[in-house]
């Protein structure tokens, strides 16, 4: 499954009402560590049909970033059954990201 761009309009349907766990990547285009993590997130999205993967641009979706208390990026959040199940801040290797799930 490909990465879904999450915004305020599709957040409820794609994330909160998802029947699969959702891995969210809070990022920005100017963020170097975000650019390091992005290809890993894309890879996970393509490999794992059992989860949903979404990216949230913090510059465009400030309200969503605030909702999750994102103050540093990249921030990765795992949502299961509409609740935060795990969270990590900073660039991480693929194994660490998969361990969040």
């Amino acid at each position: 499954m490909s990465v879904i761009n999450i915004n305020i309009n599709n957040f409820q349907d794609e994330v909160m009402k998802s029947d699969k766990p959702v891995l969210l990547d809070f990022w920005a285009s100017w963020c170097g560590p975000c650019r390091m993590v992005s290809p890993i997130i894309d890879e996970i999205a393509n490999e794992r049909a059992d989860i949903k993967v979404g990216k949230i641009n913090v510059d465009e979706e400030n309200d969503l970033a605030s909702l999750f208390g994102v103050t540093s990026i990249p921030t990765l959040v795992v949502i299961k059954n509409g609740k935060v199940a795990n969270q990590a801040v900073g660039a991480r290797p693929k194994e660490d990201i998969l361990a969040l799930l």
Side-chain angles (χ1 to χ4, degrees):
M1 182 179 274
S2 59
V3 173
I4 302 163
N5 285 317
I6 302 295
N7 57 53
I8 198 74
N9 298 319
N10 68 3
F11 177 74
Q12 283 299 321
D13 289 336
E14 294 290 356
V15 178
M16 300 310 282
K17 295 178 182 176
S18 176
D19 55 349
K20 298 178 180 180
V22 183
L23 172 62
L24 295 175
D25 174 21
F26 289 85
W27 69 283
S29 59
W30 47 263
C31 166
C34 297
R35 289 194 298 269
M36 290 169 39
V37 170
S38 185
I40 299 169
I41 298 297
D42 294 343
E43 198 174 291
I44 292 170
N46 289 327
E47 292 173 356
R48 299 281 302 264
D50 61 321
I51 63 169
K52 233 185 227 191
V53 178
K55 291 187 180 184
I56 300 175
N57 184 324
V58 297
D59 289 334
E60 296 172 2
E61 299 296 333
N62 204 339
D63 290 344
L64 288 177
S66 294
L67 180 68
F68 286 92
V70 174
T71 55
S72 297
I73 51 174
T75 292
L76 303 174
V77 178
V78 177
I79 306 286
K80 292 182 181 174
N81 301 318
K83 294 185 173 34
V84 174
N86 222 331
Q87 194 164 331
V89 178
R92 302 186 176 275
K94 185 176 179 180
E95 305 79 50
D96 290 4
I97 295 171
L98 289 172
L100 293 171
L101 300 168

